[in-house]
Amino acid sequence: MRKVFQAELLTIGEELTQMAGLVADAMERAHTAYAEADTEVAQEVIAADARVDFMQTQLDERAIDVLALQGPVASDLRMIVGSLRMSASLERMGDLARHIAQLARLRFPVTVAPASVAPVFAEMAGLDVQIARKLITLLETRDLEIAREIVALNARIDDLHASVFKTVAGPDWNESGPRTADVTLTSRYLERYGDHGVSVARKVNYLVTGEWEPGSGAL
């Protein structure tokens, strides 16, 4: 029975890692669609999000079955509860990448962002992808130094997000209402993606230490 239990925990961990890889790919491709007004890539991202949703449902059902049938305690219980919460964050990251792709499809044949903010969004999307890629390694190794790197990347995203709002509120901004709304939404989606990555990193910290925050306050 114990071997079955450990096998279930291993499968849950592997599924979380797979989800992290899928949402990293989704954001990378979503930004390509967004920057290049590529509706074909956008549609692929939108369709692929269903797989992330399915994986979350499958993982959560597996975790609930383990809770009900195995009666885990201590660190094993933390793993299962943490996995349920991490799967929700990863699923939301997939949704946010889908939203970026949907904007690209909606505004075709023009690109969504004006030239004044396009480089900022390119950097934000690149940082988001880095965060998701680091989550793969973090989930595999539980190396909390990687968690701190994720927090640092997200801090840069927050700074860029704030800069977008300063640009939109500035005297030189003369874009239309719909385009202003698109820019605001894009920045919010990219910022929230990073926040959910940090949320996963915090939960890994919980799995390793039993605390939601490390003693150093780095997360």
Side-chain angles (χ1 to χ4, degrees), residues 6-34:
Q6 291 300 325
E8 291 287 357
L9 290 182
L10 180 61
T11 298
I12 289 171
E14 290 173 345
E15 289 174 346
L16 286 171
T17 302
Q18 290 172 23
M19 287 181 71
L22 289 174
V23 300
D25 292 342
M27 179 54 77
E28 191 166 45
R29 292 174 61 77
H31 182 259
T32 295
Y34 183 94

Side-chain angles (χ1 to χ4, degrees), residues 73-95:
V73 296
S75 62
D76 290 338
L77 182 60
R78 289 204 303 268
M79 169 63 184
I80 296 167
V81 173
S83 295
L84 287 167
R85 300 179 71 173
M86 284 188 279
S87 72
S89 289
L90 290 167
E91 188 273 337
R92 186 58 185 151
M93 291 167 76
D95 287 347

Side-chain angles (χ1 to χ4, degrees), residues 96 100 121 124 128 157 161 164-165 182-195:
L96 291 163
I100 297 292
F121 289 154
M124 291 176 75
D128 279 338
I157 292 173
H161 178 55
V164 171
F165 280 86
D182 289 344
V183 166
T184 303
L185 285 172
T186 300
S187 191
R188 181 60 172 165
Y189 295 152
L190 293 169
E191 184 265 342
R192 287 301 296 155
Y193 185 103
D195 284 349

Side-chain angles (χ1 to χ4, degrees), residues 103-119:
L103 281 175
R105 187 177 65 177
L106 176 66
R107 299 306 179 193
F108 179 82
V110 299
T111 56
V112 182
S116 58
V117 293

Side-chain angles (χ1 to χ4, degrees), residues 16-211:
L16 286 171
T17 302
Q18 290 172 23
M19 287 181 71
L22 289 174
V23 300
D25 292 342
M27 179 54 77
E28 191 166 45
R29 292 174 61 77
H31 182 259
T32 295
Y34 183 94
E36 300 176 8
D38 190 326
T39 55
E40 183 176 345
V41 174
Q43 188 56 44
E44 290 172 357
V45 172
I46 294 165
D49 187 54
R51 184 181 175 192
V52 177
D53 294 344
F54 174 77
M55 288 192 71
Q56 184 204 10
T57 300
Q58 186 178 51
L59 187 153
D60 288 357
E61 289 177 352
R62 187 188 304 278
I64 291 168
D65 285 345
V66 171
L67 280 172
L69 300 175
Q70 302 292 343
V73 296
S75 62
D76 290 338
L77 182 60
R78 289 204 303 268
M79 169 63 184
I80 296 167
V81 173
S83 295
L84 287 167
R85 300 179 71 173
M86 284 188 279
S87 72
S89 289
L90 290 167
E91 188 273 337
R92 186 58 185 151
M93 291 167 76
D95 287 347
L96 291 163
R98 187 190 74 228
H99 293 338
I100 297 292
Q102 287 171 327
L103 281 175
R105 187 177 65 177
L106 176 66
R107 299 306 179 193
F108 179 82
V110 299
T111 56
V112 182
S116 58
V117 293
V120 178
F121 289 154
E123 184 176 354
M124 291 176 75
L127 291 166
D128 279 338
V129 173
Q130 285 186 59
I131 286 173
R133 300 284 184 214
K134 285 182 179 293
L135 285 178
I136 297 171
T137 305
L138 177 62
L139 289 164
E140 290 174 340
T141 66
R142 300 192 183 182
D143 180 352
L144 296 185
E145 179 57 36
I146 297 172
R148 286 184 279 273
E149 292 172 4
I150 288 170
V151 171
L153 291 171
N154 189 59
R156 174 59 180 163
I157 292 173
D158 290 343
D159 289 342
L160 292 167
H161 178 55
S163 77
V164 171
F165 280 86
K166 288 181 181 178
T167 299
V168 170
D172 296 330
W173 184 262
N174 58 6
E175 300 292 340
S176 67
R179 201 166 208 198
T180 300
D182 289 344
V183 166
T184 303
L185 285 172
T186 300
S187 191
R188 181 60 172 165
Y189 295 152
L190 293 169
E191 184 265 342
R192 287 301 296 155
Y193 185 103
D195 284 349
H196 281 289
V198 170
S199 180
V200 175
R202 291 183 190 277
K203 292 173 180 67
V204 173
N205 181 81
Y206 171 69
L207 296 182
V208 173
T209 67
E211 299 176 358

